[in-house]
Amino acid sequence: MNNLTELLSEALEVAASEISADMDFKNHEKWDSLAALSLITAIEDDFGFVLSDSDLRKLTTVQDLSDYVLANKKIE
């Protein structure tokens, strides 16, 4: 989850220490369409799969996002 924490902290423009597994990232004050696009692009670059906007809408917490990424990332 560390790499995902870094990606999310960059998308939200906050310190990684502010990101926790139970955080509802979509209710963060800095979450907006630009943060979503940044996160989607970073996940595609780092994990090798496309996270669709509709799938992202279904995820609530950082743990939800982490579980989704682990289940879908490309194994190299």
Side-chain angles (χ1 to χ4, degrees), residues 45-56:
D45 290 345
D46 282 23
F47 296 104
F49 74 96
V50 176
L51 171 62
S52 70
D53 185 50
S54 62
D55 285 340
L56 182 58

Side-chain angles (χ1 to χ4, degrees), residues 6 11 18 22 28 32 42-43 46-48 55 59 65 68 71:
E6 291 173 22
E18 292 185 40
D22 62 343
H28 191 277
D32 58 14
I43 287 174
D46 282 23
F47 296 104
D55 285 340
L59 306 172
L65 180 60
Y68 185 88

Side-chain angles (χ1 to χ4, degrees), residues 1-5 7-8 25 39-40 42-44 46-51 55-56 59 61-75:
M1 187 159 89
N2 287 341
N3 194 30
L4 188 57
T5 299
L7 298 180
L8 196 50
F25 62 92
L39 183 62
I40 288 169
I43 287 174
E44 183 177 356
D46 282 23
F47 296 104
F49 74 96
V50 176
L51 171 62
D55 285 340
L56 182 58
L59 306 172
T61 66
V62 174
Q63 187 63 55
D64 294 339
L65 180 60
S66 178
D67 293 344
Y68 185 88
V69 167
L70 287 174
N72 290 284
K73 74 178 183 175
K74 301 268 190 221
I75 299 174

Side-chain angles (χ1 to χ4, degrees), residues 30-43:
K30 294 200 176 188
W31 182 257
D32 58 14
S33 59
L34 185 58
L37 182 58
S38 175
L39 183 62
I40 288 169
T41 302
I43 287 174

